[in-house]
Amino acid sequence: MDTDCMTLTRFIATQQRKVPGATGDLSQLLYSIQSAVKAISSAVRRAGIANLYGIAGIVNVQGEEVKKLDTLSNDCFINMIQSSFTSCLMVSEENETCIEVDLEHQGKYVVAFDPLDGSSNIDCLGSIGSIFSIYKRASEGTPGLKDALQSGRSIVAAGYTLYGSATMMVLSTGHGVHGFMLDPAIGEFVLTESKMEIKPRGKIYSLNEGYESLWDKAVSEYVRCKKHPQDGTKPYGARYIGSMVADVHRTLCYGGIFMYPATKDNPKGKLRLLYECNPMAFIVEQAGGMASTGKIPVLDVVPESIHVRSPIFLGSTDDVVDVLDLYKKHGI
């Protein structure tokens, strides 16, 4: 056993000491999120035994059936963040409006999160995850919608947790990307991937090809060129899990591109900007990659509402540039 391992708690404390004038509020907030995902990880592992599979009997603001684990995960995030005394406002995929923290518990940060991404994979034991991004509030006085509707360039920290063959948290506070594996023996996240970097070009593309008939010309041509290259190179491999956390994590590790483009049915895209696209775009950019809507960087988009959607192309820089060149070619 390593008696001097770098745990997530220790890592956060070490990073805090490097920032002159740091109050420790961000550290405290990250500790609370760490506690929430540990609880969710435990629930995911015990879901079948604890009767947490299946539908909770309600529909969320996105019009999706809510699973029992969705509800539990949402409650974990809300309760842990609220009790940290560091946040004034929360935005959750599961709540129609912003969640304002009571005055007694308020702090200076805004947290947007998807408590359990990939819900369709829950009952079949597929990989699922949690995603979050943290902003500083943009106004004085009573927190409101303005504080939540900030572009991704205002993110101070973002991360995701993957509940797969193991539980892993990937985190960035704007100084690179680091991965921490949950060691069940000691109940702590341990640093296993320091300064993660994405390859300039990969060999994998990832998107739901069931919607091929609804794609625009740029996406159709891109996928066709990767499946049937005309320059003598090997075709790209196709991988798609249906959980953004799992698909993006694979893209971060192996390179390539993850795409969820706009379609005829969803002209503004399907994934939500604040708590899905922005956190992942922040992490990928910090790892040396690129994230775009097809027109502008994802992090430059200013949200109009808390549940606004966006198309997204993220991953290895050269692969994303290939897509952007096709959008320019077709004048889209």
Side-chain angles (χ1 to χ4, degrees):
M1 177 182 288
D2 185 357
T3 59
D4 192 31
C5 61
M6 179 61 77
T7 65
L8 177 56
T9 302
R10 182 177 174 182
F11 178 85
I12 292 169
T14 302
Q15 295 301 305
Q16 179 189 318
R17 293 295 298 269
K18 296 179 181 179
V19 181
T23 62
D25 286 355
L26 180 59
S27 298
Q28 184 62 36
L29 178 53
L30 290 172
Y31 296 151
S32 71
I33 292 173
Q34 176 185 205
S35 297
V37 299
K38 282 181 182 179
I40 295 168
S41 177
S42 176
V44 168
R45 304 293 176 214
R46 298 181 61 252
I49 299 170
N51 194 30
L52 288 172
Y53 290 137
I55 305 297
I58 55 177
V59 175
N60 68 10
V61 65
Q62 317 298 337
E64 302 162 340
E65 289 184 320
V66 176
K67 307 277 187 174
K68 294 176 184 177
L69 272 174
D70 278 317
T71 303
L72 182 149
S73 302
N74 196 43
D75 289 345
C76 279
F77 262 89
I78 292 171
N79 292 334
M80 292 308 301
I81 292 171
Q82 183 168 274
S83 63
S84 70
F85 294 89
T86 58
S87 175
C88 60
L89 206 67
M90 290 177 271
V91 176
S92 169
E93 184 198 24
E94 304 299 335
N95 294 72
E96 185 173 359
T97 59
C98 294
I99 305 160
E100 185 178 341
V101 178
D102 61 88
L103 191 59
E104 182 183 340
H105 290 83
Q106 276 186 17
K108 62 184 178 185
Y109 290 107
V110 176
V111 188
F113 55 88
D114 182 348
L116 202 63
D117 171 69
S119 297
S120 61
N121 286 332
I122 291 175
D123 293 353
C124 68
L125 305 184
S127 296
I128 51 182
S130 301
I131 315 171
F132 68 90
S133 57
I134 301 172
Y135 306 76
K136 276 188 179 178
R137 62 178 302 179
S139 66
E140 300 293 332
T142 304
L145 196 58
K146 178 183 177 182
D147 296 298
L149 300 181
Q150 301 184 56
S151 79
R153 297 296 177 196
S154 299
I155 290 176
V156 297
Y160 62 81
T161 303
L162 174 64
Y163 313 111
S165 55
T167 296
M168 185 170 197
M169 177 183 276
V170 174
L171 173 69
S172 176
T173 57
H175 303 284
V177 180
H178 306 276
F180 302 83
M181 197 82 73
L182 182 60
D183 183 347
I186 61 174
E188 291 285 351
F189 281 99
V190 177
L191 180 66
T192 54
E193 301 287 340
S194 182
K195 297 181 180 178
M196 300 173 73
E197 294 183 353
I198 191 168
K199 296 176 182 177
R201 181 178 291 279
K203 300 177 181 178
I204 298 171
Y205 72 88
S206 177
L207 84 168
N208 189 338
E209 295 197 60
Y211 297 132
E212 182 178 2
S213 64
L214 304 175
W215 295 341
D216 57 41
K217 292 180 180 178
V219 175
S220 296
E221 182 175 343
Y222 178 80
V223 174
R224 185 172 64 253
C225 288
K226 294 307 174 186
K227 294 169 75 171
H228 309 287
Q230 301 298 307
D231 57 3
T233 59
K234 291 183 64 176
Y236 272 36
R239 301 286 187 275
Y240 186 71
I241 298 169
S243 164
M244 188 185 191
V245 172
D247 283 313
V248 171
H249 185 69
R250 183 197 56 250
T251 303
L252 181 62
C253 293
Y254 299 154
I257 187 169
F258 168 80
M259 301 176 280
Y260 213 117
T263 61
K264 293 175 184 177
D265 289 350
N266 293 291
K268 293 185 177 181
K270 179 76 181 296
L271 299 179
R272 275 68 57 146
L273 179 68
L274 279 180
Y275 41 80
E276 290 177 323
C277 297
N278 272 349
M280 293 308 200
F282 182 81
I283 289 168
V284 167
E285 283 198 6
Q286 283 291 315
M290 182 181 286
S292 175
T293 65
K295 297 179 179 179
I296 63 172
V298 170
L299 296 180
D300 288 345
V301 178
V302 179
E304 300 172 352
S305 63
I306 61 173
H307 297 297
V308 69
R309 300 172 189 264
S310 173
I312 189 168
F313 303 86
L314 64 76
S316 297
T317 299
D318 291 350
D319 289 310
V320 176
V321 167
D322 286 348
V323 175
L324 300 185
D325 288 344
L326 289 171
Y327 269 92
K328 291 176 185 176
K329 172 185 173 181
H330 291 283
I332 301 174

